[in-house]
Amino acid sequence: MSALQLAASTGISGNLGAVAYGLAAIGPGVGIGLVFGHSIEAMARQPEAMPIIRQNMFLGFALCEVLALLGLVVPFIFS
Amino acid sequence: MSALQLAASTGISGNLGAVAYGLAAIGPGVGIGLVFGHSIEAMARQPEAMPIIRQNMFLGFALCEVLALLGLVVPFIFS
Amino acid sequence: MSALQLAASTGISGNLGAVAYGLAAIGPGVGIGLVFGHSIEAMARQPEAMPIIRQNMFLGFALCEVLALLGLVVPFIFS
């Protein structure tokens, strides 16, 4: 028997880049939820401050989201 | 006994893409829960602000959900 | 048989550096969400304190973000 057959029979395949994105999406997923959740509660408390709240809400969303999208780019860097 | 039998008896098979989606679904799962949880609390506090709350609730839900759906697409990118 | 064949046929490909970044992005993702979420709620509570809140919000964001960006640099250190 050959080692080729041994390796072919391990049965696990795939690229670690996908796992890396999966891990990188955990944190921003919770973070975006926190940003929107607290923003909506702030809007209900002071509806007249909505322009400021919405502005900072999307700022926080963008700065959280960039961590997940970096996880999509990083596997190409370490290829 | 041969190494082929050894390898065949490990019993683990599959693609890492499924693991990647599973990991990517952890964060948005918590995040969407946070968005809806805080939104419902805001609705109960100020029922007259419900149109604004519902609008921003679905906005936050969509922007959280996209992270999990990206985890479904990413294994095809890194195939 | 050669070790080259063994390595080529395992079916898992990719670099652990990407997985490392993915792990490093979990914590900052949650942390940045906490910083922005609580800051937005503080702005809605006391709009007149907004310059101080925004200043400290970006301070907290930067000190959280640096952990994720270190995860991008570390695989080059341990290459």
Side-chain angles (χ1 to χ4, degrees), chain B residues 6 10 17 22 37 46 50 55 60:
Chain B
L6 173 69
T10 55
Q46 289 214 348
M50 199 168 141
Q55 181 186 354

Side-chain angles (χ1 to χ4, degrees), chain C residues 28 61-71:
Chain C
F61 160 71
L63 293 174
C64 253
E65 180 80 14
V66 80
L67 285 177
L69 297 186
L70 264 179

Side-chain angles (χ1 to χ4, degrees), chain A residues 3-51:
Chain A
L4 187 64
Q5 287 172 322
L6 171 70
S9 64
T10 53
I12 301 178
S13 63
N15 194 312
L16 284 176
V19 177
Y21 170 75
L23 287 166
I26 294 174
V30 180
I32 292 171
L34 281 165
V35 169
F36 277 92
H38 282 286
S39 299
I40 290 164
E41 217 164 352
M43 280 178 196
R45 189 175 301 190
Q46 289 215 348
E48 71 272 15
M50 199 168 140

